[in-house]
Amino acid sequence: MAEALRILLVEDSPVDIFFFRRAVNKAGIVAQTHIAADGVEAINYLTNRGQFSDAAAFGPAQVMFLDLKLPHVNGFEVLEWVRAHPEHATPPIVVLTSSDEPEDRDRAANLGASLFLTKPPSPDQLLEALRNLTRA
């Protein structure tokens, strides 16, 4: 049996989490998805702090899907944090947001996002994104 892909989904909407998981399942992706409800939790996951302090249970994510519109610390601030802390291993980051604004796409790319997808992603979009990221 293939090892599950470890995904960090940074998303505050239970509805969007449901649709993301459904798309992953429909795409046939075997995944272990950890949820961070905001940017603070995302940074805690990346640094194994807070509720993610058990490094064995919350090992390094292989890909992060990041919403931009988050409470406390937004997605752009997470991208800025990642860029400012290269000492922390960071997986490829896919921005997954309701925004399709060119300025948001450009800013995310300039801050190091690997891909930019709008919500909700289709199973085909997820498969293609993961194929591209695992080839890189």
Side-chain angles (χ1 to χ4, degrees):
M1 183 175 167
E3 188 174 324
L5 178 69
R6 198 172 311 110
I7 296 172
L8 174 58
L9 174 60
V10 187
E11 176 59 66
D12 62 321
S13 165
V15 171
D16 287 338
I17 292 168
F18 171 82
F19 283 115
F20 179 87
R21 285 189 162 147
R22 190 171 87 173
V24 167
N25 288 337
K26 282 189 170 196
I29 299 167
V30 178
Q32 178 184 30
T33 303
H34 296 287
I35 307 298
D38 60 38
V40 172
E41 288 186 13
I43 292 167
N44 284 344
Y45 187 99
L46 296 172
T47 58
N48 284 114
R49 292 189 194 147
Q51 79 252 40
F52 302 111
S53 62
D54 183 350
F58 302 103
Q62 293 163 286
V63 63
M64 179 191 324
F65 287 87
L66 176 66
D67 188 12
L68 293 178
K69 297 173 184 164
L70 297 165
H72 311 297
V73 172
N74 69 40
F76 288 123
E77 291 168 320
V78 171
L79 289 168
E80 290 167 355
W81 183 92
V82 165
R83 178 179 259 187
H85 294 86
E87 70 275 13
H88 294 286
T90 305
I93 299 171
V94 178
V95 170
L96 184 59
T97 185
S98 57
S99 170
D100 197 20
E101 295 296 320
E103 303 83 32
D104 288 345
R105 285 180 173 274
D106 292 345
R107 184 172 177 202
N110 289 334
L111 289 171
S114 300
L115 291 170
F116 192 102
L117 298 176
T118 53
K119 294 181 192 176
S122 71
D124 290 341
Q125 286 176 310
L126 286 178
L127 270 175
E128 185 62 26
L130 294 173
R131 279 191 194 118
N132 288 338
L133 293 172
T134 54
R135 265 189 245 135

